[in-house]
Amino acid sequence: MKNFTITVIHASFLEPGETPKAVAKVSTSGMDLFQATEYAYRYTNNVDGSWSMKIGEDANDDVEVLAPLIQHKGKAYGLRSTSVGDVMIVDDGEGFTDTFRVAGFGFEPCDPIDYDVVDPQTFTTTSVLA
């Protein structure tokens, strides 16, 4: 059992030319790799509330929201759920990192991808390869 930090990257449902974006960082403790990825998936989904707006059963202090909420006509909306095709970068803090794509059932290893990290204060992006 280990402690993992998982960066969740929304890479599905992109507009042409749009770069995947890091949307959350999930901290886990005392889990194996399978449990940690399942935990990150569960708590970046809108099941009973909003994970990114910290509403209802989806609110979790282990989840740091990295992307700004969606603004439309002066109202803030939560981020979408993590879906098939999105990517998780797993880091155990001891030198192990690996990249997984959300599959129809579970997760499959995949190559590192380019993605943006959005600064919610300035809405500027920084591209990363991981």
Side-chain angles (χ1 to χ4, degrees):
M1 301 297 184
K2 290 190 170 231
N3 300 334
F4 294 98
T5 301
I6 301 173
T7 303
V8 178
I9 301 164
H10 281 178
S12 295
F13 312 114
L14 299 176
E15 298 292 327
E18 188 177 5
T19 303
K21 291 179 182 51
V23 295
K25 195 165 286 231
V26 181
S27 300
T28 70
S29 61
M31 298 182 188
D32 64 28
L33 181 61
F34 174 78
Q35 292 168 323
T37 53
E38 288 289 332
Y39 186 82
Y41 179 79
R42 162 56 188 101
Y43 285 104
T44 57
N45 268 269
N46 301 310
V47 176
D48 185 25
S50 171
W51 71 268
S52 58
M53 295 179 74
K54 307 288 186 172
I55 297 172
E57 296 296 315
D58 298 333
N60 187 325
D61 290 337
D62 293 334
V63 178
E64 176 187 356
V65 180
L66 299 178
L69 299 178
I70 297 164
Q71 303 290 323
H72 181 71
K73 296 185 178 182
K75 185 172 180 186
Y77 294 87
L79 302 175
R80 71 168 176 80
S81 293
T82 299
S83 301
V84 171
D86 289 335
V87 173
M88 295 188 181
I89 301 171
V90 179
D91 184 342
D92 74 353
E94 299 175 5
F96 169 83
T97 59
D98 209 347
T99 307
F100 297 91
R101 187 171 310 279
V102 179
F105 182 80
F107 307 89
E108 55 192 23
C110 68
D111 291 331
I113 66 166
D114 285 316
Y115 66 97
D116 287 341
V117 177
V118 180
D119 180 343
Q121 302 301 316
T122 64
F123 298 101
T124 58
T125 60
T126 303
S127 291
V128 178
L129 173 64

